[in-house]
Amino acid sequence: MVPIIVRMHTPEQLEHQRWLKEITAIPTAAGHEGRVIAWIRSWVRKRKNLKLSQDEAGNLVLTQAASTAKARGTKANDKTVKPLFITAHLDHPAFVVHEIVDEKTIELEFRGGVNDPYFENAKIEIFDSRDGIHPAKVMKLDSKAKPFKRVTAKLVEATNAIAPGDIGRWVFEKNGCDPHMNGGLLYTPACDDLAAVAAALAVMDMLRGKPECAHVGALFTRAEEVGFIGAIAAARGKTVPKDARLICLENSRSYAESPIGDGPIVRVGDKSSVF
């Protein structure tokens, strides 16, 4: 359970907080982001001035419908305003059902980067296609399996409702899996990167219909946790214009030099390079 600080008071901000709770509660995994995509599609249908499209890789592009023709460069003060896209990814480190061994034994892939000790006797929950929740416990880890780590999990109760492709995620016992506020902190199963999805949607909701912001859009990418698959496809397929500027939103763990509550972090590199 990952906490983030949220301070909201106005009706608009409380509405944004509701979206934050709803979106971060959605089960998602690399290549299996359908539930999040469905939530976004439903959200967009309820709003004027916004248009949602999907590229060949399944990434979502959100623009202002009335200004779609201007998305590649809006004139303002006789200068060309380059497109600006707020980006976030739709997946989170999670399990994906690989094989049903028997009514109580399931093999799952883990798509994401989590160290081996976290899998030892870990409690998880598996969501079937009808959103039924099935508690289970990790009994075995094969960390050398390719292309993803693989676990064998034992269900608490036998079922035939689970199928390959269903999503599993960690169970957080201390604070529960339902998003909730406690002492100014939001506790929720999947900040990375669904909290950023909620933030991007809140911005687009605030800017929609404003001609001076016609150049601002949002890009939601798939399968980030297994190698930026959607983001690379978006770049190669020219999902966004080459001259577009990007504000990439990401959620990461807290460190001594970046404690929760001290504000946002402007990131200028990663463990291998500066960009």
Side-chain angles (χ1 to χ4, degrees):
M1 182 64 67
V2 182
I4 58 174
I5 286 185
V6 178
R7 297 185 179 94
M8 295 183 174
H9 304 287
T10 70
E12 182 181 58
Q13 290 170 332
L14 291 173
E15 180 77 349
H16 295 168
Q17 184 183 120
R18 181 176 67 82
W19 302 343
L20 177 65
K21 290 180 179 179
E22 289 183 7
I23 294 172
T24 57
I26 299 173
T28 185
H32 293 264
E33 302 93 346
R35 287 179 173 89
V36 184
I37 292 173
W39 195 100
I40 294 173
R41 288 191 180 280
S42 175
W43 183 90
V44 173
R45 283 196 296 268
K46 299 172 185 175
R47 284 161 178 79
K48 296 180 179 179
N49 308 115
L50 291 178
K51 178 182 178 181
L52 189 67
S53 60
Q54 190 167 346
D55 68 10
E56 292 184 355
N59 301 309
L60 300 181
V61 181
L62 184 61
T63 56
Q64 299 200 44
S67 307
T68 302
K70 300 180 180 180
R72 291 183 176 272
T74 302
K75 294 290 184 180
N77 298 325
D78 297 326
K79 295 182 179 179
T80 299
V81 179
K82 295 180 179 179
L84 173 64
F85 285 89
I86 303 167
T87 80
H89 61 87
L90 300 165
D91 57 323
H92 179 76
F95 303 86
V96 175
V97 174
H98 176 73
E99 183 180 351
I100 312 300
V101 179
D102 57 46
E103 289 185 341
K104 292 195 70 173
T105 309
I106 310 292
E107 282 193 358
L108 307 98
E109 298 175 339
F110 188 78
R111 301 186 180 184
V114 173
N115 294 330
D116 292 355
Y118 288 99
F119 293 86
E120 186 175 349
N121 296 317
K123 292 183 178 180
I124 65 174
E125 55 186 9
I126 302 172
F127 292 77
D128 63 37
S129 61
R130 296 185 177 182
D131 290 331
I133 301 175
H134 306 273
K137 184 176 181 179
V138 174
M139 308 302 294
K140 180 182 177 182
L141 168 66
D142 181 358
S143 61
K144 298 184 184 298
K146 300 295 181 183
F148 308 109
K149 292 180 180 180
R150 193 169 297 176
V151 303
T152 301
K154 187 71 72 173
L155 293 166
V156 173
E157 295 183 2
T159 182
N160 57 8
I162 296 173
D166 286 341
I167 298 172
R169 69 182 182 189
W170 310 99
V171 170
F172 299 98
E173 294 183 282
K174 183 177 180 180
N175 293 291
C177 284
D178 293 329
H180 61 279
M181 301 295 298
N182 186 0
L185 293 175
L186 172 67
Y187 290 84
T188 187
C191 289
D192 177 22
D193 198 26
L194 298 185
V197 172
L201 290 174
V203 171
M204 292 301 296
D205 193 55
M206 294 167 66
L207 299 184
R208 63 191 174 95
K210 296 183 177 181
E212 66 273 22
C213 298
H215 62 294
V216 181
L219 170 66
F220 301 112
T221 63
R222 301 183 65 184
E224 188 270 354
E225 297 292 349
V226 293
F228 301 95
I229 305 301
I232 292 171
R236 290 178 174 171
K238 301 179 180 180
T239 298
V240 297
K242 187 176 181 180
D243 64 345
R245 297 166 297 167
L246 303 179
I247 299 177
C248 304
L249 305 182
E250 181 60 78
N251 289 264
S252 299
R253 58 167 293 185
S254 176
Y255 293 92
E257 67 273 17
S258 56
I260 292 175
D262 274 15
I265 297 165
V266 179
R267 192 171 172 186
V268 295
D270 55 27
K271 65 181 180 180
S272 61
S273 65
V274 172
F275 49 82

